[in-house]
Amino acid sequence: MKISDSITKLPGVGANTAGSFGKLGVKTIKDLLFLLPNRIEDQSNLAKIASLRSGEEAVISGKISKVFSRRTKRGSLLIEARITDESGSINAAWFNQRFLLSQLKDGEQIMLFGSKKIAPSMGNPFIVKKIIKSVGYSPIYPATQGLYQGVIQRIVKQAVPLAKDVPDILPPQILKGSKLIHRSEALMGVHDPKNQQELDRARRLFAFEELLGLALSVGLNKQEQRAKGGDKLIIDTDYLKRFVAKLPFTLTAGQRQAAWGIIKGMANGYPANRLLYGEVGSGKTVVSLIAAMAIVRAGGRVLILVPTTTLAAQQAKSIQEMVGKDLRVSLITGHKKETIEADIIVGTHALLNIADQFDRVGLVIIDEQQRFGVRQRQILLRHHGQAHLLLTTATPIPRSLAQTVFGNLEITYLLDKPAHQQRVTTKLFLDEQRPSVVAEIRRRLSRSEPGYVICPAIAKTDQPTLLEIDERKSVIAEAKKLAGELPGAKIAAIHGKIPADQRVEILGDFMEGRVDVLVSTTVVEVGIDNPNATWMIVENAEMFGLSTLHQLRGRVGRGQKASVCFLSQTLFDEKAGQRLEMLEKSDNGLELAEADLSLRGPGEILGSEQSGLPSLRFASLGDKKMVTEVFALADKIVNDGIEKYPTLKKLLVKVDGLAAS
């Protein structure tokens, strides 16, 4: 049997099974060998019941002493079995699996894979993922209709011996220099791992290949971008100095340095790609505007894409005030379309629908770029490929990550904050401490200091959560509750399901002082600048990522009064607690992002849709050592010419949005 043979040559693979595998792109035995697991389930951690830690997956082995069932408040069937080992007992729990009532027998020994959850109303149960027969490592494959995990695992296992015939993609010198195993060994190790060391070696090869493919793609994009060429921007320094002198505030040293760096980058003779990172309130808007003025002075037009109607209106108004009557600023949203002949055009997604109607576009600014998908950004760049690109974000990106993954973007860090802004005090609190928090809010309201209450849900849902208990606070319920707790306060609710024009009106009332308490989802995460707001409560804070919490916290402390952000923790898990404690101690976005990278990986920081990065199945962008090694290797290969490494072309991946092409 050869790896080029059809999978129907394998025992037990008939026409129906082959058809189901075909939906996964698997037709040959080689295809099957490269149907790599989405993940490896570590079922090797055999733990005593007394030593179980909340949220940590483990295997327990014990005797069933009692089996019982009941209906939850939501009507789901909950089956529980009392499991006992020499260290103690725990209730194992399953939802909606009636067949188990006939399989679970008192007195029988059983081995379960799952994790302990903190749910006092259920006695802190062990939520079962699987009943297993032995400890070890179980590959979990992509599935499709008609194929169960057990079937895939059995058929793949039959093909594993043929992995010895699979050739390497990495040249021998790279394998040797980076101490990597051959692809054939890695395939055997990932499909049928016997121990952790074997699994680690296999993962390392595939991680290395993934990262090298990404690094080469980024490097080649950068090379292509630089080769484009274009008109060299002529900088009118005196004009820019006069503009800055007329601003109603004095630029910080960091703002001056950032603006000049961006402008010089646009004068290199090819379209510049730059990411401007700045903390909330650091002045990214004015820095971007100075760059825009350089383009306008040279005869170009500037497009500014922003994520919300409210923010677009605010931006257009403030920019018009800063540039004065000499230049035209236009606003284009779903509800308002002004002239497309303006010098600076600010717009929401509506701008994308008429992207081809603009001429002389010299600069495209994507404000709060993490709020846009790659394809949305690319629409503008497709029509204006010679324009410079400036992405701005307040989502902290660790320097180590930015210098590698965003290697073809110049990075500008704007770390200054306006001198008048005070540090926001962050306080983590439990429900029993709520009365003192409410008392503090009443005191602030009595001083005419408005604030926010952030909730993870719009309304209570009938959809069951993992434990059938919906602990999430909702905007609608909290707004009603606060009306009783804060008598006399003017309370308004806002969320994504409210029409955009109504949201603009509510936010206007909040900004003008006609609303004291704004109860909201994360729709206020960006673009709301109320300098009078001095407090915020984030309900169920453990349900939000660090970057989101840091952004939310930035809504307060924008004026001259001392501000506070209260974080309410409802559900308890060790990692969530660590994240919230970090937020309590630090207001440094980059520091928090580095910590989040080590705790959670890069998913929250980048997000595949926003960054244009392919999803990584084996590699971690948090592995600084490997990332540094691989990107240095990729630079050498790109400089040498990838034609000298023909097999490496198979690793190249599509990386959208990292270049204007």
Side-chain angles (χ1 to χ4, degrees):
M1 208 180 305
K2 305 187 294 294
I3 59 173
S4 58
D5 287 342
S6 167
I7 58 170
T8 55
K9 291 284 187 75
L10 294 169
V13 182
N16 288 339
T17 302
S20 296
F21 270 112
K23 294 175 185 176
L24 296 172
V26 174
K27 294 181 179 179
T28 68
I29 292 173
K30 184 178 179 181
D31 294 337
L32 184 64
L33 288 169
F34 281 95
L35 182 67
L36 298 177
N38 284 334
R39 58 191 173 89
I40 304 291
E41 207 164 60
D42 183 354
Q43 300 171 3
S44 66
N45 179 26
L46 183 60
K48 298 297 181 187
I49 289 173
S51 66
L52 290 173
R53 300 173 69 179
S54 173
E56 188 175 281
E57 290 188 338
V59 175
I60 60 173
S61 178
K63 186 178 288 187
I64 301 173
S65 59
K66 184 181 179 184
V67 179
F68 46 100
S69 66
R70 60 186 170 91
R71 289 282 175 185
T72 67
K73 291 180 180 179
R74 298 181 187 277
S76 296
L77 179 66
L78 172 64
I79 297 171
E80 295 180 272
R82 191 70 176 169
I83 309 295
T84 303
D85 67 10
E86 61 267 33
S87 72
S89 299
I90 196 169
N91 283 355
W94 296 260
F95 289 101
N96 297 322
Q97 298 184 50
R98 182 179 295 278
F99 66 91
L100 289 172
L101 289 173
S102 61
Q103 293 185 7
L104 300 171
K105 306 291 185 184
D106 284 4
E108 286 188 351
Q109 196 74 15
I110 194 169
M111 190 175 286
L112 305 172
F113 173 65
S115 59
K116 180 181 177 180
K117 298 293 181 185
I118 299 298
S121 63
M122 293 178 63
N124 301 334
F126 185 83
I127 304 298
V128 181
K129 291 183 73 174
K130 288 180 183 175
I131 300 174
I132 62 175
K133 294 182 179 179
S134 61
V135 294
Y137 301 91
S138 178
I140 306 299
Y141 294 94
T144 187
Q145 190 173 1
L147 280 180
Y148 297 102
Q149 281 298 319
V151 174
I152 300 175
Q153 290 169 355
R154 175 178 58 79
I155 292 171
V156 170
K157 202 163 189 176
Q158 293 177 146
V160 167
L162 294 173
K164 67 182 188 305
D165 300 325
V166 174
D168 289 319
I169 280 185
L170 298 181
Q173 66 269 30
I174 292 179
L175 289 173
K176 184 177 180 182
S178 297
K179 297 179 182 177
L180 298 165
I181 63 174
H182 294 287
R183 256 192 164 199
S184 54
E185 294 176 73
L187 286 171
M188 293 178 189
V190 81
H191 286 305
D192 189 21
K194 300 293 190 298
N195 53 54
Q196 187 63 46
Q197 291 72 29
E198 191 174 277
L199 183 57
D200 289 344
R201 286 194 297 269
R203 277 177 164 163
R204 188 167 189 273
L205 173 77
F206 290 124
F208 197 97
E209 287 184 351
E210 276 186 330
L211 281 176
L212 185 57
L214 173 61
L216 288 171
S217 301
V218 168
L220 290 169
N221 268 350
K222 181 177 182 178
Q223 190 179 67
E224 179 185 343
Q225 186 71 6
R226 294 281 170 91
K228 272 186 176 182
D231 295 334
K232 191 170 183 177
L233 176 68
I234 305 301
I235 305 171
D236 188 338
T237 308
D238 291 337
Y239 175 81
L240 295 176
K241 285 181 178 178
R242 289 195 299 272
F243 170 70
V244 169
K246 290 179 182 177
L247 290 172
F249 48 83
T250 303
L251 294 182
T252 65
Q255 288 167 347
R256 288 178 180 275
Q257 185 177 0
W260 183 239
I262 294 168
I263 292 167
K264 283 199 300 182
M266 295 190 297
N268 285 329
Y270 54 82
N273 284 345
R274 187 174 289 266
L275 177 69
L276 171 62
Y277 162 72
E279 292 276 10
V280 172
S282 61
K284 295 186 297 298
T285 299
V286 72
V287 168
S288 301
L289 180 58
I290 295 169
M293 295 299 285
I295 293 292
V296 170
R297 181 61 172 172
R301 177 171 284 138
V302 178
L303 303 181
I304 304 178
L305 183 64
V306 297
T308 68
T309 302
T310 307
L311 183 54
Q314 286 182 5
Q315 287 261 34
K317 182 182 177 184
S318 64
I319 289 173
Q320 186 68 78
E321 288 172 353
M322 284 189 276
V323 302
K325 296 178 181 179
D326 295 339
L327 299 178
R328 285 190 298 173
V329 179
S330 178
L331 175 65
I332 294 178
T333 70
H335 304 279
K336 190 170 188 177
K337 182 180 176 182
E338 297 177 352
T339 178
I340 64 171
E341 296 300 324
D343 301 292
I344 299 173
I345 297 164
V346 183
T348 59
H349 297 75
L351 203 60
L352 305 177
N353 299 327
I354 55 172
D356 59 339
Q357 296 181 26
F358 302 102
D359 60 4
R360 298 184 295 105
V361 175
L363 174 63
V364 172
I365 299 174
I366 313 290
D367 196 29
E368 300 294 349
Q369 66 88 24
Q370 74 280 1
R371 300 294 290 265
F372 292 95
V374 171
R375 288 182 179 84
Q376 294 168 318
R377 300 200 298 260
Q378 288 296 92
I379 289 172
L380 287 175
L381 300 176
R382 192 182 309 129
H383 293 291
H384 308 288
Q386 290 297 311
H388 301 290
L389 173 66
L390 176 61
L391 309 174
T392 78
T393 184
T395 298
I397 300 169
R399 290 178 189 269
S400 59
L401 203 55
Q403 289 164 356
T404 52
V405 177
F406 291 114
N408 68 329
L409 290 177
E410 300 297 329
I411 313 290
T412 295
Y413 287 94
L414 179 56
L415 302 179
D416 290 3
K417 276 196 171 185
H420 69 269
Q421 289 191 5
Q422 298 189 37
R423 185 176 186 270
V424 177
T425 301
T426 304
K427 295 181 180 179
L428 187 59
F429 75 96
L430 305 179
D431 222 44
E432 54 264 31
Q433 298 166 298
R434 188 172 292 273
S436 63
V437 171
V438 173
E440 172 64 17
I441 299 310
R442 287 191 187 119
R443 280 193 292 273
R444 288 179 178 265
L445 289 173
S446 71
R447 301 195 297 260
S448 300
E449 298 175 18
Y452 306 81
V453 176
I454 307 298
C455 302
I458 295 174
K460 287 287 185 181
T461 174
D462 291 332
Q463 295 299 314
T465 60
L466 176 65
L467 295 179
E468 302 292 311
I469 305 167
D470 192 354
E471 300 281 2
R472 297 176 304 164
K473 296 289 180 73
S474 72
V475 168
I476 293 172
E478 285 304 299
K480 290 179 181 177
K481 179 183 170 188
L482 287 166
E485 290 182 335
L486 305 172
K490 297 179 286 274
I491 298 169
I494 186 171
H495 50 75
K497 290 188 177 180
I498 293 176
D501 54 344
Q502 289 184 34
R503 289 204 302 270
V504 171
E505 186 178 339
I506 293 169
L507 289 171
D509 288 342
F510 180 63
M511 305 287 283
E512 299 293 332
R514 292 185 292 274
V515 166
D516 303 313
V517 181
L518 192 64
V519 188
S520 174
T521 57
T522 55
V523 295
V524 299
E525 184 182 344
V526 297
I528 310 303
D529 185 2
N530 186 343
N532 296 317
T534 68
W535 60 271
M536 172 179 283
I537 298 175
V538 182
E539 301 288 1
N540 304 116
E542 73 281 354
M543 294 183 177
F544 299 98
L546 255 185
S547 294
T548 296
L549 289 170
H550 183 60
Q551 283 273 73
L552 288 168
R553 177 172 60 179
R555 295 305 103 207
V556 297
R558 301 172 77 88
Q560 298 186 27
K561 296 179 181 177
S563 299
V564 63
C565 177
F566 294 105
L567 303 176
S568 166
Q569 185 174 6
T570 311
L571 301 176
F572 298 90
D573 121 341
E574 192 173 343
K575 283 192 174 181
Q578 285 179 307
R579 294 202 325 274
L580 297 181
E581 286 173 11
M582 283 190 292
L583 202 75
E584 196 175 27
K585 294 172 184 173
S586 174
D587 65 349
N588 184 309
L590 288 175
E591 183 180 284
L592 289 169
E594 291 285 1
D596 217 21
L597 185 61
S598 63
L599 271 177
R600 290 162 58 88
E604 183 195 352
I605 295 168
L606 297 175
S608 59
E609 181 190 357
Q610 285 75 22
S611 67
L613 300 177
S615 58
L616 298 174
R617 294 168 64 189
F618 292 92
S620 167
L621 294 172
D623 184 344
K624 293 182 186 178
K625 185 177 179 183
M626 181 180 284
V627 166
T628 302
E629 177 185 355
V630 169
F631 273 78
L633 174 62
D635 281 345
K636 180 180 182 302
I637 292 168
V638 170
N639 290 332
D640 285 351
I642 197 168
E643 293 75 19
K644 295 179 182 178
Y645 306 84
T647 59
L648 295 183
K649 290 184 178 180
K650 297 176 183 177
L651 295 177
L652 296 179
V653 294
K654 186 175 182 182
V655 186
D656 294 314
L658 296 185
S661 57

